[in-house]
Amino acid sequence: MIKEKVLKKTLYDNKDTMYRLALSILKSEADAEDALQDVFVKCWHQKTEIQITSDIRGYLMRVTRNRCLDMVKKHNRKYEQPGIYEDPMGVDKNAVEISDQVAWIDRFLEQLPELNQTVFHMREVEGISFEEISKTVHTPIANVRTILSRTKKHLRKQFNIINRIDTPNTLKKTEK
Amino acid sequence: MSKTDLHKSSIPENMDFDEFLEQSIQLKQKNTLADDKFELLWNRAKSKQGNIRRMSWIITVSAAVLALMISFLIIKTTHHKQQELELQYQQATAALYKVSYYMNQNIDKLSPIDKMMNTTNYFEPLAKPIDGLEKLERVKRIPLKH
């Protein structure tokens, strides 16, 4: 019984992190909840084997990610976020512009491979250490750093293109 | 200037991007799983696991019963076949005994058979081996191979 309470508390403490990770991969609240349901079932099934240590968050993140990837494979479709096409009626212009820009950033993020999205999410949204991310995505720390850097660079580049902020390369092309 | 710095310089610093990125991250951080939802998922996970365990138990028992039935059927069929073979063997042995008995008892009667064949077509019926059959020694049993 104590084990059950400890497990429930551990899951409760990490529920938001797991939910956000599932949401970032699946882009659907219902699917994210389904994924979490499966993770809970797995944890309940393995409750005698799970050791509540400092690495438990990494374990939960790993299980959640694997479950989400299985769901993506199973459904064989790309999850998309409809946020950018929301109807802006009834919202003030500034808010719409901010919402649009933010939606564009999300859109650019979606264009990247799942690994980039997950690394970006874990580091920027959850503030998880590189070491823990490295264990979760089974990639060396140096590679994780590179992936994060490239992801940010891609987002910035795409954002500049959409906002017509010319880079030196595009300026040269225009001059020619 | 290093290669990385050179690459960085090719992308202009845009303060708006950082602001929007920050907004995007903050929006993502607002996504949370409500407590009642968590309780629901947790309880479902427990009951689902219970159902799975119950189902697996039923399947295991069914499989065991089925395996037992199949084994029983195989044993019964094999045993029946063995009994049938033993009966056949005993009948064949008894028939052999009879032949052997007739031959031992009436071997002397075979000598005038040529004469009898020439003179008459009547053959004296052979004595039935009733008493002698029990006294005969049984031949060694040949082990059955399936």
Side-chain angles (χ1 to χ4, degrees), chain B residues 32-46:
Chain B
T32 54
L33 187 71
D35 287 356
D36 56 337
K37 204 83 180 173
F38 170 78
E39 285 291 333
L40 184 74
L41 293 178
W42 172 251
N43 290 327
R44 262 195 221 158
K46 283 204 291 183

Side-chain angles (χ1 to χ4, degrees), chain B residues 69-81:
Chain B
M69 281 171 72
I70 290 168
S71 306
F72 180 72
L73 203 72
I74 290 168
I75 289 166
K76 202 180 169 185
T77 313
T78 314
H79 187 246
H80 182 71
K81 202 175 176 183

